[in-house]
Amino acid sequence: MRIWSVVIAVVDGPSRGARAQVGSEIARIGTADGNDLVLADRTVSRFHCEVSVRGNTIVIRDCGSTNGTLIDGVRVREAEIPPGTLVRIGGSALRVELGEEPAFVEVSGRPSFGELVGSSVEMRRVYAILERLALTDATVLVQGETGTGKDVLARSLHAASRRADRPFVAVDCGAIPEHLVESELFGHVKGAFTGATADRRGVFEEADGGTLFLDEIGEMPLALQPKLLRAIESRSIRRVGGTGARTVDVRIIAATNRSLASSINDGSFREDLYYRLAVVPIELPPLRARREDIPALVEHLIGQVCADNDRRPKRVAASAMTLVMQHDWPGNVRELKNVVERLAILTGDAEVITEADVGDALPRVKAVKPEFARGTPFKDLVSAAEREIIMAALEANDHHVSNTARELQLERSHLYKKMRALGIDHRADDEGPG
């Protein structure tokens, strides 16, 4: 497939004259050696920003830099920009220009890959990478917003690999208490700590011969990151309290909805671990960037729900599907799945899901506009705004507290504390409604 060829040219600053080309992968800009465009500008962060091409759209994204990424004097987090845009970062200025010749990216001819569904160009680019990865044991880093299907990608890649008949073990690095992470990963011997009443294998040993999926790797405690790096590089682990090393044969797939480049900038993630994990980086697109996949996803999900609940298959009216496609889906495929399940169940024996059904099922996220009365303390206004934001995020994530915490980029314990302080009820099982 042909896409724009984009060149980033430094037009002002210490590295004036330097250039980098953006092809099918993301081009990163900063002072660290691992960037595609390395700048000798002390006011630029190690991983400052990144530029990518989606079809014929150029996207620039700030990586949590200290001094920001500015376009026309306005600091941006992520923006679509036209060719010729001047971008300022620190004391440098970059011009994003079209290259002289178009670039070409490989796309797969298949409409799905394992459990991944969608025939959009964005997804077929991902499938093409996965087809090649299935033949190897390369370490993979999957990045994307909450709900885009990073765990589904990991399972699908494992199922297509030569390790398919061996274990697939998934661990959520953000859901384990910090003092238990090392034991969860590497196991422990009896008596290693209070409560260790017997020897226990960790997930590395459980996945031996298969695939280990490290979900939410950005939540990994900083103190444990060197041990994880050694385990990946040496393919061996040592149980907590043990004395001997044990060899393990695992394929690592890591995933995060955080920008690890931002985490490197703020010191919460090791740069060497990032490079070890990002042997092959994959960016899963948000649902709003591949709206043409929504009808196929809806049909697939409705079929699953109806089969699981012994119901007759349903179809979605054209006007109802139009309404579904117009929604922004901030919770991505996970949110779509929740809404489809709600529709399939609440419409009973009806064979057709109507526009009215969809209108009732779609979440209504209210704008955060707390009532303002003269003399209201500022802290009360802030609390009202926080409550609205948390309530809307909980609704979008079907009241799953862990997923809501990730979307809001809060520690789960901190979100619980906020909810208690604001009087927001939560379910004890943290799994959302059954």
Side-chain angles (χ1 to χ4, degrees):
M1 176 189 169
R2 186 172 68 175
I3 63 171
W4 279 351
S5 171
V6 174
V7 174
I8 308 166
V10 183
V11 296
D12 191 21
S15 300
R16 182 175 180 176
R19 297 164 68 88
Q21 185 151 345
V22 185
S24 60
E25 306 296 335
I26 294 172
R28 291 186 171 85
I29 305 163
T31 58
D33 290 337
N35 286 286
D36 300 280
L37 180 58
V38 180
L39 302 181
D41 184 342
R42 293 184 177 181
T43 60
V44 170
S45 296
R46 292 184 61 74
F47 292 90
H48 198 104
C49 63
E50 56 190 30
V51 177
S52 60
V53 181
R54 300 173 184 167
N56 287 334
T57 302
I58 305 169
V59 179
I60 189 164
R61 180 189 303 162
D62 185 78
C63 295
S65 63
T66 301
N67 293 323
T69 299
L70 288 81
I71 299 174
D72 293 333
V74 178
R75 187 166 182 164
V76 299
R77 181 177 178 182
E78 180 174 333
E80 295 182 1
I81 58 175
T85 298
L86 187 69
V87 181
R88 291 199 171 274
I89 59 173
S92 300
L94 320 172
R95 190 173 300 280
V96 182
E97 307 168 331
L98 286 182
E100 295 181 359
E101 297 291 337
F104 293 87
V105 295
E106 183 182 355
V107 295
S108 172
R110 62 171 72 188
S112 62
F113 185 95
E115 299 176 50
L116 293 169
V117 175
S119 58
S120 63
V121 170
E122 291 289 338
M123 290 305 292
R124 288 191 291 124
R125 286 175 66 174
V126 173
Y127 302 159
I129 298 171
L130 295 178
E131 287 166 0
R132 296 196 300 272
L133 283 174
L135 305 175
T136 75
D137 288 332
T139 302
V140 181
L141 175 63
V142 189
Q143 300 185 89
E145 296 178 8
T146 296
T148 49
K150 297 181 288 295
D151 57 333
V152 176
L153 183 152
R155 289 196 303 270
S156 299
L157 179 55
H158 171 75
S161 73
R162 66 178 181 83
R163 297 172 178 263
D165 60 345
R166 303 295 295 165
F168 174 83
V169 179
V171 58
D172 186 340
C173 300
I176 309 169
E178 185 169 341
H179 66 284
L180 294 178
V181 175
E182 185 175 4
S183 173
E184 181 71 18
L185 291 177
F186 309 126
H188 61 254
V189 299
K190 181 179 179 180
F193 50 83
T194 303
T197 57
D199 289 358
R200 181 184 180 278
R201 295 192 306 166
V203 292
F204 268 86
E205 288 184 76
E206 291 177 4
D208 192 24
T211 301
L212 176 59
F213 176 47
L214 299 173
D215 198 9
E216 300 306 334
I217 189 67
E219 306 291 337
M220 178 66 64
L222 185 61
L224 275 177
Q225 291 177 24
K227 294 183 179 180
L228 176 60
L229 177 62
R230 283 197 299 272
I232 296 173
E233 290 183 333
S234 66
R235 300 293 176 179
S236 65
I237 57 94
R238 187 190 303 273
R239 290 182 179 180
V240 178
T243 56
R246 299 168 184 259
T247 301
V248 288
D249 171 25
V250 294
R251 197 248 185 94
I252 302 291
I253 302 177
T256 179
N257 64 358
R258 286 189 177 189
S259 166
L260 291 187
S262 300
S263 299
I264 293 171
N265 286 338
D266 65 26
S268 62
F269 202 83
R270 290 177 62 104
E271 189 174 340
D272 50 2
L273 178 57
Y274 168 75
Y275 288 131
R276 192 63 191 82
L277 293 171
V279 175
V280 181
I282 298 178
E283 183 86 16
L284 264 180
L287 193 52
R288 63 183 177 276
R290 56 181 187 109
R291 293 180 189 272
E292 62 267 44
D293 288 336
I294 290 178
L297 280 165
V298 170
E299 182 180 353
H300 173 74
L301 294 170
I302 283 182
Q304 281 186 336
V305 175
C306 290
D308 291 345
N309 291 274
D310 295 324
R311 293 177 180 268
R312 295 173 59 188
K314 297 174 181 284
R315 66 180 181 86
V316 181
S319 58
M321 187 64 76
T322 299
L323 193 59
V324 173
M325 293 182 70
Q326 288 173 345
H327 188 61
D328 278 342
W329 301 109
N332 294 294
V333 180
R334 181 183 292 121
E335 182 187 1
L336 176 66
K337 183 177 181 180
N338 289 340
V339 170
V340 167
E341 185 172 2
R342 196 177 307 147
L343 283 167
I345 293 173
L346 296 183
T347 52
D349 294 328
E351 295 182 3
V352 179
I353 295 174
T354 67
E355 183 177 353
D357 295 328
V358 172
D360 290 339
L362 286 178
R364 293 174 173 82
V365 181
K366 298 183 292 183
V368 180
K369 293 182 179 179
E371 293 295 327
F372 174 76
R374 295 189 63 182
T376 302
F378 179 72
K379 66 177 182 179
D380 292 343
L381 293 174
V382 172
S383 295
E386 285 184 333
R387 195 176 199 281
E388 290 286 349
I389 292 169
I390 292 172
M391 290 291 288
L394 283 166
E395 175 66 22
N397 286 280
D398 208 21
H399 292 269
H400 192 296
V401 179
S402 292
N403 292 341
T404 302
R406 293 182 194 124
E407 184 171 312
L408 296 176
Q409 298 186 24
L410 293 173
E411 295 292 337
R412 186 174 56 170
S413 59
H414 184 56
L415 178 57
Y416 272 124
K417 184 177 179 181
K418 281 278 187 187
M419 290 167 66
R420 286 194 296 270
L422 296 170
I424 300 173
D425 292 333
H426 61 83
R427 294 169 174 80
D429 62 2
D430 192 26
E431 290 297 332

